[in-house]
Amino acid sequence: MPKGISLDFQFTSPIDRVWTAMTDPITLSKWMYPNDFKAVVGHKFQFRAEPSQWWDGIVNCEVLEIEEPNKLKYSWISGGEMTVVTWTMEQADDGTTRAHLEQWGFEGEQSFQGASWGWPRMVDQLQAALAQL
Amino acid sequence: MDTIWCLLLLILREKVLNRLRQRDVYEAIADPTRRELIHLLAEEEESPLHYLTGHFSTGRTAVSKHLAVLKEAELVMDRKVGRERRYRLNPVPLKQVQDWLSHYENFWKQKAAALNRLVEEEN
């Protein structure tokens, strides 16, 4: 299950505000979903979105790593898929925050460690292959 | 006693279903040799087995096994031409992987935009 995405964001606020938005359950619920998050490694929590016809709306998570205010890692289990979400943040000189997000499958995490070429290359191949369809 | 039988039947049913279930595309592309095979197959219209095995030090049997896994996931189609077997890539199942990626990419882009609006408002 080598699924993975990797995205970069820039938030126009200082890093401590971004950290609060990611770790305070009330603020977190305003941009994600209602949740019972706690910034404690090993804490199990849920995001509860509105259920729909094709999704029960529940994401089961466990806090895997906390490094205030730079790193937040939790498992993300939903719809029978197990992945890991990792946020890494960096304060920029101009008062903004650079954030990097990764979401990977569990197996991907193990087999792809130290071999970061694997996924981007696969994505290139995918795009090339899909262009032929 | 009934409960135990029910449980045993459920476990058995799950095991049988797992056996029958097609190999999924994610499992198929989890292995580096199989990814390399996909890469090779993507470059040619059709590749005979000896052309593919020439790129690996693992030997013909191992390459054949990997091709069998790709075939089960319907990523590869093969046909016999004379005495040799030729393989070609079927990229359709890869669409599933791309769908997953674009779903979550859009999801996180939306969420990150919402986060940004939220922290700006609080400033």
Side-chain angles (χ1 to χ4, degrees):
Chain A
M1 203 169 53
K3 316 176 187 188
I5 58 166
S6 175
L7 293 169
D8 286 298
F9 299 107
Q10 187 153 22
F11 298 122
T12 47
S13 303
I15 195 167
D16 51 324
R17 280 179 188 275
V18 175
W19 182 259
T20 305
M22 285 187 180
T23 54
D24 170 60
I26 294 164
T27 322
L28 181 60
S29 71
K30 288 180 184 163
W31 66 276
M32 283 288 287
Y33 303 116
N35 65 87
D36 53 344
F37 179 89
K38 271 185 212 162
V40 176
V41 173
H43 174 67
K44 292 194 167 97
F45 66 102
Q46 283 187 331
F47 286 111
R48 286 179 171 270
E50 282 289 317
S52 69
Q53 217 178 346
W54 44 272
W55 186 40
D56 64 4
I58 295 171
V59 187
N60 285 298
C61 305
E62 183 180 339
V63 180
L64 300 175
E65 225 178 300
I66 293 261
E67 215 178 284
E68 187 179 350
N70 299 106
K71 192 172 180 189
L72 174 62
K73 186 170 171 180
Y74 43 82
S75 59
W76 178 282
I77 301 167
S78 186
E81 290 181 330
M82 299 187 287
T83 54
V84 174
V85 171
T86 311
W87 286 100
T88 37
M89 271 82 69
E90 205 181 78
Q91 174 82 64
D93 293 337
D94 58 0
T96 64
T97 304
R98 272 194 286 274
H100 179 73
L101 169 82
E102 285 192 9
Q103 186 178 15
W104 290 80
F106 275 150
E107 288 176 23
E109 279 252 321
Q110 288 154 16
S111 57
F112 277 73
Q113 247 163 28
S116 56
W117 56 270
W119 185 256
R121 189 165 164 214
M122 192 65 217
V123 172
D124 288 348
Q125 278 170 236
L126 265 180
Q127 259 138 17
L130 288 165
Q132 292 167 16
L133 281 183
Chain B
M1 203 51 192
D2 278 352
T3 328
I4 294 171
W5 276 112
C6 261
L7 268 175
L8 279 174
L9 275 175
L10 270 176
I11 293 167
L12 192 68
R13 180 173 164 268
E14 191 56 30
K15 286 204 163 162
V16 172
L17 280 176
N18 277 339
R19 275 281 171 80
L20 293 175
R21 209 168 282 159
Q22 254 187 348
R23 241 177 235 275
D24 80 352
V25 58
Y26 301 109
E27 187 188 340
I29 61 175
D31 179 90
T33 307
R34 290 200 287 271
R35 284 200 301 275
E36 189 62 38
L37 276 168
I38 291 175
H39 185 68
L40 287 170
L41 288 163
E43 285 172 348
E44 305 286 332
E45 179 81 1
E46 214 174 29
S47 314
L49 181 60
H50 69 82
Y51 166 79
L52 297 169
T53 48
H55 287 80
F56 301 93
S57 54
T58 45
R60 191 191 160 95
T61 320
V63 173
S64 288
K65 275 185 187 162
H66 284 302
L67 282 166
V69 175
L70 292 173
K71 211 177 132 182
E72 277 178 61
E74 292 180 347
L75 279 162
V76 158
M77 293 183 292
D78 64 341
R79 67 182 184 122
K80 228 175 166 183
V81 179
R83 292 179 62 184
E84 68 176 14
R85 198 161 276 282
R86 292 187 189 168
Y87 295 85
R88 65 155 65 212
L89 181 69
N90 171 34
V92 178
L94 294 175
K95 180 95 173 48
Q96 208 183 322
V97 180
Q98 207 196 30
D99 285 348
W100 187 92
L101 292 173
S102 53
H103 163 76
Y104 268 108
E105 275 183 12
N106 288 332
F107 171 82
W108 288 113
K109 279 177 190 166
Q110 272 178 26
K111 293 296 175 199
L115 186 159
N116 200 33
R117 278 196 301 276
L118 187 75
V119 282
E120 266 187 345
E121 275 169 23
E122 283 175 354
N123 274 353

